Amino acid sequence: MTKTTLPSKPVKAKNKIHIGGYAFDTVNIIFLTLCCVIVLMPFIRVIAISLSSSRMIDRGAVSLWPLEFNFKGYEIVFGNVTIYRAYGWTLLYSVMFTVTTVSMTACLAYPLSVNDFILKKPISVLLLITMFFSGGTVPAYLLIKNLGLMNTAWALVLPGAVGAWNTFLYRSFFKGISHEIREAALIDGAGDLRILIKIILPLSKALIATFSLFAIVGMWNSYFAAMLYIKDSTRQPIQNILRSIVYTSVSATFGDAGMAMTQGTVNPLNVQYACLIATIAPLLFIYPFIQKYFESGMQVGAVKG
Amino acid sequence: MTQAVNTVLLGRNRVNPVARFFKLLWKQRTLVGLCVLPMALLFVFSYGPMYGVLIAFKKYDAGLGVWDSRWVGFNNLVEFFTNVNCLKIILQTLKVGIFSLIFTYPMPIILALSLNEVASKGFKRTVQSISYIPHFISIVVICTMLNEFGSLSGLFNSIRKLFGAAPVNMNNGTKYFMFYYIGSAIWQGAGWGSIIYLSALSNVDTSLYDVANIDGANRFQKIRHVALPAILPTTTMVLILNSGNILSQDYTKILLLQNNTNRTDLDVISTYVYTMGIADGRFDYGTAVNLLVSVVSLILVLTTNTIVRAIDPEQSIW
Amino acid sequence: MKKLLALAVAIILALGCMSAFAVSGPIEGVDYPELPDGTLHLTVAVPNFGTDQTTTKMQKLWQEKMEEYLGVKLDITYTSGLAWNDYQGNEATNLAAKELADVNTYSQGSLVNEYGAAGVVLDVNKYAEYMKYYPEFVAGVIGGQEGINNPDGSSYVFWDGYDNDVNLAGGQSFSAYGYRFDVLKEFDLKPAETWDEFKDLCATLKGLIDSGEVEADYVLHNGASWMAFYRGFVGTFHTWDTLYWNGEEFAFGPIEDNFRLMLTELHELFEAGYINPEYQTDDSADNEATTGKVLIVPTNWAGSVVNTWNPQAEEGIEWGLAYLPQYEDFGAAWKWGSKITGKNLGTTRTMGIIINAETEYPEWVVSMIDYQYSPDIYLMLNWGVEGEDWELGEDGMRKYTAKFMDLPVGERPQALADEGIMSSASARTGIAFVPQIFSTIPSYGDAEPWWSPEKGYYEGRYWFDTAINGGPDSISPFDRAPLVKLTDEQQSAQSKLKSACEKYAKTEGNKFITGEDGYDITDDAQWEAYVEGLKSQYQGFDELLQIINENVDLDSLKYYND
């Protein structure tokens, strides 16, 4: 490939000069666009179906555009007053979980990233074991009960706060931050605590943003723990409320008397897909605020360079 | 440098390794201190309930609880291995696990590298945002869509028609199961999985690109010599950890992809444990089989880690 | 001697104490412990069936009536409120962790026994003298009290009951074929009475589709992909899809010769191109019916016609029901799920109410649950308030008032549920489960199109008409099976055998129907290999079957007097 003197059109990137760019860029952009189309089509279908009439859905006529507009699914989901309270609780659980898990994991991962840390190996093994072995639901349940965490946010926040997988990934990331930084700082007389807070963490904005996103989304989508530990129905998070709406709209079979029935005239798919949108929408809304930090690492690099 | 420190220390403290240990521990007290709280959480919430695995070797009696239930040794495991379908289930598990790893592991990396090469920030952001969406769609919805797409009049058959192929009922039997299972995993997970690599790529020292430019490196060379090394620790880590998941599949997804035409052929260990251990309420039996899976998984991870260490000691977990 | 004296004194003292604190309660002749402030404080764990029943009108009436009967105040805290499926998912964990409310809705069948034996759940038989109404339901069960007792004489559940007050002897699933009445009427055809007629009808309809006179894709389709297609045909061929009582002994249906005969016939239908090739994988089978792409749906829930297909059908499409055809000289085809008249707890008991063994006043709690089995309570919760919710019709039968019946049929269930009336199924008032009463079943739905040889095309209701058209001989021996006395281990072995072998039969039987992968139902060697393969799914298949047959209590058949 030869150096192109023609400035490629998107020349915004200050630090990269695009060599042999056109062919590569074209193929690359076509590839990514294709990926987007493949990803988006089913999703658009979900939206289209959530807004279509029951009749059109049954016919299989809905493809990517809603036919015979119908908001019944959304009316059922958002007409349920408990949903707003559930949004609030979910937000609280998510924020608490994110703060706890990100801080705890960072505290643990930093020492592990130090090559001659004396407890590195035993701690790594202890972490690794938890990835594969667990005591099962009943002992976990008894633990939460005996600690008196039943019905509290802590029952959802604490058990998953320190995870092996995340710790190892944080550690890899910290390692990726130049080795010499710690050594240089140590020579300058800085302690490890200072290095972590003043140097490593500011350099890890991208990491923190990423894992905050993971944590928020993880808590947002979880229902199992709340199902077990949150007995108070007024504190249920959003997923559990949506599950009950979906279940009851689909159908229910009862007992030996064995009466099965489908409720009302609303198509279950309307409700199911409206619920899906109700879950995803807030996440898509917060996403851009977090994404901003994904590029922050690069700017730090530029300053350093 | 580290090596040098160690030799010095070793030389000085040859006499008493215990004293040397505590001396180092004291020296690294800040690092140790940082670990205390997270490790406490780990001990309470992960190790606290761990005694529950004991029921794998017991006949669980709810009234007596885990401690006082009767020991039965390896009876539960023997029952699993004497099950007539045992071999079939294990083979199916390995098949699904290995193919999943081979096909789903590289996709997020490719996507991340590809995104990293995009100059237009707007385009990059848009693609990124779009690629995460499937992650939020529940597995039930995805399986419903797959069933619809694979039917005789569905999307997949419309595509087949474009290429002149005769329509087939893809939901029938086992032929298209792997395509469904792995294809949907890529569709759902590639974008989300790429986040972690993109975040590693964002940390690349940009001066490296400048150097590469001066050297006249082309795009592929730059990917190979700048971008790839930057994400190597992360990719290795994910590979090591993923190798432990070969035996553990998503049972909800497999159960949802099963139907009356293939139910007996598509069982894997996780679906088996689910039906026997959870649906039928046999905690002891389910725990025993799960424990076996865990042990094998741990061995797999340790092996992969050893191989990685043999190639590049820097990249191994320990 | 001294010891004896001490004992006597102790007994007298104890009796004295008891009588000092004992009070009378709803059931005469037994003593109840005195409640501190005349109030019974309870926690009650109930799921949410779609409508929060705890705040409905009927729930308030339930409490008023209950307090009046017990003569004490009730202070109930309802916990849980989880969606029904989630609630069920939690039950095993709650039991294992001993985390029960005083009174709990329960749905896990025999799982409770080990926790009962372990002292977590109350043995209600120990408080039998505090019951009055529940025993009437127990008496309806085959074997009576013995029929519901565990081998050690205990019983930990107040089982869910029903009152078949209108003698519904019909069935609801796999008891009638769904036909496209509009097509049959247009071409002057009628549903099949015999298997040969059925095959002829399929051929005729196929001809009409091929010539373009009828716009459809296939003649036959399955009602839902999770149902084994052959489920709709086993009755005609006098066999069954699982372990069943065939009138003489317990046998496993899918390895019987009749089952093979049925598969042979179904394979013929498949080869002739009558059956939609996606019959076992199509998740949206209802849509094939509502859009008219198929003409006959033999395997179905009969309620689909009135509840789903016809209300949602496109213009001009009319679905109707006709009883199963008869095969040569086999006699009337068997229907599934025919209920016994009167009060009963059913044959497969999985749901009910359990009481925490540590509840403070089990005597009061038992009497409270027992009262739910009295018509005072269950008639009220099933029907609502007289005049307001229901009234007597000219035929002397109860009817829901215009408040509900003027609504479109699809909106009636929710309107009923909002009042807390149980027949809606999405609000289970009282403490679930209060017995259901069958007279409500046909009361708020519409009638559906039917056909019978005697009446031709007419309007009917599947609960009644599957009984009338099938005749008394159509009651499957399975629905009138004798009591089998098995130990807990044998019972769980039996359910293991059923689930493993049924699953095998579904997949393999299906391949025999389609003939894919070289499967050939006419090949004896293949059939034998299939039978062996099925038996191998449960080690000791033949032995267990023998044990079951040895423990059949034929005397218990006297409980069936219909």
Side-chain angles (χ1 to χ4, degrees), chain C residues 252-263:
Chain C
F252 199 76
I255 55 174
E256 289 185 315
D257 287 341
N258 282 2
F259 199 87
R260 186 178 176 191
L261 175 68
M262 176 195 73
L263 289 179

Side-chain angles (χ1 to χ4, degrees), chain C residues 196-242:
Chain C
D196 288 333
E197 279 180 34
F198 180 70
K199 286 197 283 191
D200 290 345
L201 181 63
C202 287
T204 312
L205 290 171
K206 174 88 160 87
L208 290 171
I209 295 173
D210 289 345
S211 67
E213 285 169 85
V214 171
E215 206 183 310
D217 295 341
Y218 295 96
V219 181
L220 297 172
H221 197 39
N222 194 355
S225 62
W226 57 265
M227 298 174 185
F229 186 54
Y230 55 63
R231 198 67 178 75
F233 300 90
V234 283
T236 294
F237 288 88
H238 280 204
T239 177
W240 220 239
D241 69 329
T242 181

Side-chain angles (χ1 to χ4, degrees), chain C residues 523-536:
Chain C
D523 183 342
D524 288 340
Q526 278 198 24
W527 175 255
E528 274 156 32
Y530 157 80
V531 172
E532 281 314 303
L534 187 143
K535 285 184 176 176
S536 77

